């Protein structure tokens, strides 16, 4: 059988990123490769390969504790806290039973905190501190939440936790991960960037043995894992990797003290050279959300867009089915931001799902829940075309055409 390494090489994955994954697994969370000078860290940068699961997650492999244990962690610009499932979450809880869990008793670098963590009585637990190793960069004393309770829907997710890349103001009880990298002098520049490629490798999730295998089989029959190879998607910490942009960067100023949010002048569905339909006509706000593939907005306007691109709502659902042929024939969607036009095509906003030889296509446009009026979130379906950087100190988003 073809080995995992042979498959990566056949798919032309970046050999440096492959080496990084193997090195991270080998050395655990000790960070022995990190450069020291006069007993201090020398600022650097590093790349974290990302994987995609369905259209709900982009995650990287992160080691927590010493000796380190590897977790699948979402890189989320719409969130500031970091959290991981605790070993104290009961195994009778299905979301906890099907994921990796963190046991602070086995980590020599664990520091107790104990403050309560509660988001909407759904994500609950307590705060702790430990070493986080992301790529070859580590932060010591990183504050995060150990979750002892999660909603049932998290059973459907593949990740074990989240690293929040939002602003400090969004996290009241901890210093966000990227801010810790800055304070501990780990970075050349206070910038992180995302390169997300729309090409995917479809792969069915393997069913694990054990008590809950029948539940996993049920879940696998409902959703399909669409997973990218390392090197196709990445998060770059400490600056911008110039090999991933083919145009100069445009600067967008953030208009929120809490979110990576910016103003949008209008959004247009271009039906032909002479015909287009506008939504967000009087301007709106958009949040950059790297944790998901979807583009979410006001339900009425999302309905208009889906009708124009040929998508039909699935009964009793907020998802829309779209003919897969629209991948190449569907209208272009243009976002006017900061007096510049950013365009996405059918292949960007169509999400393919395959199971047992059957393929269906879903629209990335979904009605928003819990967002302020006239606010949108832009996920991977928007960023496929662009290499996007986030300047934490100047609170600016930099966008260029992806190479």
């Amino acid at each position: 059988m073809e080995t995992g390494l042979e498959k990566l090489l056949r798919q032309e994955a970046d050999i440096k990123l492959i080496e990084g994954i193997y090195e991270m697994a080998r050395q655990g969370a000790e960070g022995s490769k990190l450069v020291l000078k006069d007993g201090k860290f020398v600022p650097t940068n590093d790349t974290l390969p990302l994987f995609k699961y369905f259209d709900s997650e982009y995650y990287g492999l992160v080691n927590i504790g010493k000796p380190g244990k590897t977790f699948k962690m979402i890189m989320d610009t719409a969130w500031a806290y970091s959290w991981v499932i605790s070993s104290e979450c009961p195994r009778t809880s299905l979301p906890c039973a099907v994921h990796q869990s963190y046991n602070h008793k086995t980590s020599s670098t664990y520091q107790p905190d104990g403050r309560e963590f509660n988001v909407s009585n759904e994500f609950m637990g307590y705060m702790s501190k430990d070493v986080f190793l992301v790529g070859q960069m580590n932060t010591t004393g990183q504050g995060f939440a150990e979750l002892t309770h999660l909603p049932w829907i998290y059973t459907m997710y593949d990740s074990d936790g989240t690293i929040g890349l939002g602003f400090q103001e969004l996290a009241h009880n901890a210093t966000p991960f990227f801010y810790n990298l800055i304070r501990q002098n780990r970075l050349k520049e206070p910038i992180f960037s995302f390169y997300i490629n729309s090409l995917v490798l479809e792969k069915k999730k393997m069913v694990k043995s054990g008590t809950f295998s029948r539940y996993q089989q049920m879940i696998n029959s409902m959703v399909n894992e669409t997973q990218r190879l390392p090197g196709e998607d990445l998060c770059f910490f400490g600056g911008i990797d110039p090999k991933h942009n083919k145009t100069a960067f445009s600067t967008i100023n953030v208009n929120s003290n809490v979110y990576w949010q910016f103003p949008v002048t209008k959004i247009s569905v271009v039906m032909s050279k002479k015909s287009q339909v506008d939504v967000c006509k009087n301007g709106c706000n958009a949040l950059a959300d790297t944790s998901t593939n979807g583009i979410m907005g006001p339900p009425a306007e999302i309905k208009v867009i889906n009708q124009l691109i040929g998508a039909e709502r699935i009964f009793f659902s907020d998802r829309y089915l779209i003919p897969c042929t629209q991948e190449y024939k569907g209208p272009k969607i243009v976002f006017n931001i900061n007096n510049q036009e950013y365009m996405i095509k059918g292949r960007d906003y169509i999400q393919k799902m395959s199971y047992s030889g059957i393929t269906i296509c879903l629209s990335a446009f979904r009605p928003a829940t819990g967002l302020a009026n006239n606010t949108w979130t832009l996920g991977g379906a928007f960023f496929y075309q662009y290499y996007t950087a986030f300047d934490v100190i100047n609170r600016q988003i930099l966008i260029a055409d992806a190479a």
Side-chain angles (χ1 to χ4, degrees), residues 12 56 68 85 95 104 108 128 130 150 167 170 211 239 318 333 341 353 355 359:
E12 299 180 352
S56 57
I85 297 173
H104 62 244
S108 64
S128 295
D130 210 329
L150 294 91
F167 292 133
L170 199 55
T211 306
D318 66 349
I333 314 292
E341 293 187 343
M353 290 176 54
Y355 184 76
T359 299

Side-chain angles (χ1 to χ4, degrees), residues 55 217 349:
D55 65 349
Q217 183 68 64
Y349 60 73

